[in-house]
Amino acid sequence: MRKFWDYQNFQKNDICADCGRSDATWASTNLGVFLCIQCCGIHRSLGVDISKIKSITLDKWEPSNIVNLRSIGNTKANDVWEHNLYGQKPGPDSSIEEKTAFIKMKYESRLFLDESRANTVYVPEIPKKSVERSFLLSGLEELKVAFLELLREDKDFREQVRELVRRTPRPPTYVEVQGDNLNNNAPSLE
């Protein structure tokens, strides 16, 4: 068992695959990635159809789980799951809402997935119920479910959305931190 946990120190497996936080003490055994406690909670909310979560230190591990994590790992998984990621993914200090949105786009909607290499990692079948459940509390359920269905089922539509995301300009950040003072150098809108 010690050799397996030593493996966690290689290929960025000691950081969270989804937000980069340095204390990845959880893992998605089927997706083959290591996660922080916060992203682990988000993965649990996706359901076991998408992500099966175990603690590295608290849970009992089956040999097949260990083999899966060793054969995939964070680097390989993110090369496939985030291949079409344009822009920045959430960081350790991002809000839970930002992380949740990103993780749902990554694993439920498969917006960033490299479909040509999807056979090199585990890509779960996503039941329609899972997609619908993720938007139950919002006001535009039907539209969102239809949009996610299109993302999941229509490769051309996914490519169009990816191209739109790729072309969308990102506003520059004007906030600089100088010592203990926050200096906002944003241009005046007046």
Side-chain angles (χ1 to χ4, degrees):
M1 200 63 153
R2 180 73 187 139
K3 286 182 182 178
F4 171 68
W5 301 128
D6 288 343
Y7 172 74
Q8 187 188 12
N9 296 321
F10 299 103
Q11 298 182 0
K12 298 186 180 180
N13 291 324
D14 57 337
I15 65 170
C16 178
D18 291 331
C19 77
R21 189 171 166 173
S22 62
D23 59 346
T25 57
W26 294 82
S28 173
T29 60
N30 60 326
L31 296 174
V33 294
F34 293 88
L35 304 165
C36 69
I37 184 76
Q38 195 172 44
C39 291
C40 148
I42 299 166
H43 274 253
R44 282 191 192 273
S45 75
L46 299 176
V48 295
D49 294 335
I50 296 175
S51 188
K52 297 177 183 175
I53 299 298
K54 282 191 179 277
S55 166
I56 290 174
T57 57
L58 303 174
D59 291 323
K60 182 178 178 183
W61 283 70
E62 299 295 323
S64 61
N65 297 145
I66 295 170
V67 167
N68 196 45
L69 279 160
R70 289 188 116 183
S71 67
I72 299 176
N74 289 359
T75 300
K76 182 176 180 181
N78 282 344
D79 283 349
V80 176
W81 282 102
E82 296 178 357
H83 178 76
N84 293 303
L85 175 64
Y86 304 100
Q88 208 168 12
K89 69 187 210 177
D93 296 325
S94 297
S95 71
I96 188 77
E97 294 81 12
E98 290 174 294
K99 291 178 184 180
T100 299
F102 172 75
I103 289 170
K104 286 183 176 186
M105 284 189 289
K106 182 176 176 179
Y107 299 106
E108 276 188 343
S109 304
R110 302 173 182 187
L111 187 58
F112 317 121
L113 181 68
D114 180 357
E115 295 184 36
S116 68
R117 294 188 302 151
N119 63 340
T120 64
V121 297
Y122 176 76
V123 178
E125 281 291 317
I126 301 178
K128 186 176 180 184
K129 252 187 182 178
S130 175
V131 174
E132 290 172 351
R133 184 187 69 225
S134 67
F135 292 108
L136 274 177
L137 301 177
S138 63
L140 301 172
E141 296 91 8
E142 291 176 21
L143 179 60
K144 290 178 181 177
V145 168
F147 181 77
L148 289 175
E149 284 289 320
L150 276 171
L151 279 176
R152 186 174 53 160
E153 295 175 4
D154 187 331
K155 187 176 181 178
D156 292 333
F157 182 72
R158 263 193 311 277
E159 287 302 317
Q160 290 173 0
V161 170
R162 287 178 183 144
E163 183 59 31
L164 179 64
V165 169
R166 189 178 302 125
R167 289 188 318 210
T168 302
R170 304 281 183 240
T173 303
Y174 293 97
V175 177
E176 295 176 9
V177 177
Q178 296 179 348
D180 292 334
N181 300 323
L182 186 63
N183 181 14
N184 188 345
N185 294 322
S188 172
L189 298 175
E190 298 174 10

